Amino acid sequence: MISNYIVICRGKKTALLLRLTRLSSLTRCHIDDMHCRNTLPIIVGGTNYYIESLLWKVLVDTGQGNEESGRGGDGAARRKLELEKLGGAELHKRLAEVDPDMAAMLHPNDKRKIASLQIHEETGVPHSLWLEEQRGQEGGDGLGGPLRYPDPCIFWLRADMEALDRRLDARVDEMLSAGLIEELRDFHVRYNQQNAQDNGQAYQQGIFQSIGFKEFHDYLTAPESSTQQDKDALREKGIEAVKIATKRYARKQNKWVRNRFLKRPGDNVPAVYSLDVTDVSTWEETVLNPALQILEHLSKGETPPIPPIRVQGAEQRNSRSHHTCDVCDKVIIGDLEWTAHLKSKRHYSFVRKRKRDLDGDQAHGARSPPAAPAQTLSKDTGAAVAPGCS
């Protein structure tokens, strides 16, 4: 794992999320069984989506879990592929017809429109209503429903980024030594070669989203007539691309923890304790002993000597409001993103350019219309226009 979690449960969003509902339900059954036996469940690793779905009620369970292993699952997969062939504008139009609130919260390029459409097709209920019901439960917040278990504890294993980057590079080298390229080549010949020849391969779908396929595409599809020197160059290019993508993914995971765990609004947030794994030779003193000390105090109902971490601004909720900047010809989703855009160099550059154009028109006797005041938002699904955009 790039980012490791040890999630301890104490006491009693998308097509991917729909599948996670089944998987996390199975895990929760094991957790409940361990609680009945007075045993402490410890969950190590897992994707960010998976950990979040275990801790909070954030998934949409359509009640069709038994169908996924049969024709129902195949039908949902085929329907997803059909929707993926449609353009963003058409998907947004269809979603706006059945769930205008959700459509207003999603960027035109956001692929979650597909999951929202599927949820409506399977249940007849708009995705936005499912989310509203979750958030309205006692203990719910703007990101989803309440915690599933009281007093969970999260150990976040963190390392200095330079040390982490070195480990990630070494991990890629180990995967190469273990036969990564041979495995990719075999999979490519079996499942991807024809699609690549037909220029029909999309590396944003299914298993092909995994790091490695896209990065080695040029190497795997190199013509037979290519020289060994050209092939070696493409191979090295692919290796470097995998290392860059892996490190980028690690940073994305860390950002997820900060935004979805540390900055989560309200009191519906588990304690997150940071443990330094930069130097693994000091594992016992920097990781194991502090973790056991924290658990010992928590089990006695005492405050651990090591405080949990929280970040500044955790109380601020980023509503997914819909904004349009006519100056930059850009759609922005989210109040924090909107504020950042208004302060960006790109936006100011376009504003100055428009002002120069207006001044030039006035110098030639052209009259410019008065600027309309910026709109303000009263609801998350409202629209706003940047100052100077009208």
Side-chain angles (χ1 to χ4, degrees):
M1 295 303 300
I2 295 173
S3 288
N4 278 328
Y5 307 93
I6 304 177
V7 181
I8 296 108
C9 302
R10 302 170 58 247
K12 293 203 171 180
K13 315 179 151 214
T14 62
L16 172 62
L17 293 186
L18 286 172
R19 294 185 180 92
L20 279 176
T21 304
R22 284 66 167 174
L23 185 59
S24 63
S25 295
L26 180 61
T27 305
R28 293 198 302 272
C29 288
H30 289 303
I31 291 175
D32 292 339
D33 177 65
M34 293 178 72
H35 281 154
C36 292
R37 292 183 281 111
N38 198 28
T39 303
L40 181 67
I42 300 178
I43 297 90
V44 183
T47 67
N48 290 319
Y49 276 117
Y50 182 66
I51 296 298
E52 188 176 21
S53 71
L54 282 178
L55 291 173
W56 287 277
K57 297 180 180 179
V58 295
L59 301 181
V60 176
D61 190 348
T62 64
Q64 300 183 11
N66 294 333
E67 294 183 10
E68 187 159 30
S69 60
R71 296 182 179 180
D74 293 339
R78 285 195 298 270
R79 179 56 178 158
K80 182 175 183 289
L81 291 176
E82 293 173 1
L83 292 173
E84 287 175 344
K85 295 178 182 178
L86 300 176
E90 177 61 25
L91 287 171
H92 197 271
K93 176 184 175 183
R94 294 191 182 190
L95 181 59
E97 292 174 352
V98 299
D99 194 350
D101 288 343
M102 181 58 67
M105 290 189 290
L106 296 179
H107 190 279
N109 298 331
D110 196 327
K111 294 183 179 180
R112 283 179 290 181
K113 295 189 296 292
I114 295 176
S116 296
L117 282 170
Q118 284 190 288
I119 288 171
H120 181 268
E121 290 179 356
E122 290 184 17
T123 67
V125 178
H127 190 186
S128 59
L129 291 184
W130 282 99
L131 298 178
E132 182 179 352
E133 189 275 333
Q134 279 184 347
R135 295 164 181 165
Q137 297 176 32
E138 183 178 356
D141 56 39
L143 296 179
L147 284 168
R148 297 185 184 277
Y149 308 99
D151 302 324
C153 164
I154 297 178
F155 290 148
W156 184 17
L157 308 189
R158 307 171 68 186
D160 176 81
M161 290 309 300
E162 291 186 6
L164 180 59
D165 287 345
R166 290 194 297 270
R167 288 178 190 166
L168 295 175
D169 285 343
R171 177 190 177 192
V172 173
D173 291 337
E174 291 174 1
M175 293 170 66
L176 290 167
S177 299
L180 172 63
I181 294 181
E182 290 74 15
E183 182 179 340
L184 288 173
R185 183 184 291 111
D186 179 69
F187 197 95
H188 174 75
V189 172
R190 290 171 180 264
Y191 305 107
N192 193 39
Q193 191 170 44
Q194 189 60 49
N195 289 333
Q197 292 173 353
D198 297 338
N199 294 321
Q201 176 54 55
Y203 287 101
Q204 294 80 36
Q205 301 175 7
I207 187 63
F208 294 104
Q209 299 176 76
S210 302
I211 295 175
F213 289 106
K214 178 174 64 176
E215 289 74 16
F216 277 104
H217 173 83
D218 291 342
Y219 175 74
L220 295 173
T221 59
E224 291 292 333
S225 58
S226 300
T227 65
Q228 188 60 45
Q229 182 178 2
D230 290 339
K231 291 181 179 178
D232 291 343
L234 291 175
R235 183 180 185 276
E236 291 303 314
K237 176 184 174 183
I239 292 173
E240 183 61 25
V242 168
K243 290 183 176 180
I244 292 173
T246 301
K247 286 179 279 194
R248 184 184 299 122
Y249 184 57
R251 284 159 174 78
K252 183 178 180 181
Q253 287 185 316
N254 286 334
K255 183 178 179 180
W256 176 283
V257 174
R258 287 191 293 269
N259 291 338
R260 302 291 290 195
F261 291 176
L262 302 181
K263 291 185 179 181
R264 204 176 189 98
D267 299 325
N268 191 29
V269 184
V272 179
Y273 296 91
S274 176
L275 301 175
D276 189 355
V277 294
T278 301
D279 184 0
V280 293
S281 66
T282 61
W283 177 269
E284 287 194 5
E285 57 191 85
T286 60
V287 181
L288 179 59
N289 292 336
L292 293 176
Q293 188 179 32
I294 291 170
L295 282 180
E296 182 180 4
H297 280 78
L298 290 176
S299 64
K300 297 178 180 178
E302 302 172 352
T303 300
I306 303 173
I309 55 176
R310 290 284 279 173
V311 297
Q312 188 176 6
E315 71 285 347
Q316 183 178 10
R317 176 188 170 189
N318 183 23
S319 62
R320 294 188 59 80
S321 307
H322 184 284
H323 308 265
T324 302
C325 181
D326 290 339
V327 168
C328 304
D329 189 24
K330 193 172 184 180
V331 174
I332 309 292
I333 302 296
D335 288 349
L336 297 182
E337 290 79 2
W338 176 244
T339 300
H341 173 74
L342 295 183
K343 296 179 180 179
S344 67
K345 293 181 179 179
R346 175 182 174 85
H347 176 71
Y348 277 116
S349 175
F350 277 102
V351 169
R352 287 194 296 269
K353 182 179 183 300
R354 171 167 286 196
K355 187 176 185 301
R356 288 195 299 268
D357 293 342
L358 291 175
D359 291 343
D361 291 341
Q362 290 174 345
H364 288 84
R367 296 183 61 187
S368 60
Q375 299 180 15
T376 57
L377 293 173
S378 59
K379 295 192 296 185
D380 287 355
T381 56
V385 181
C389 295
S390 300

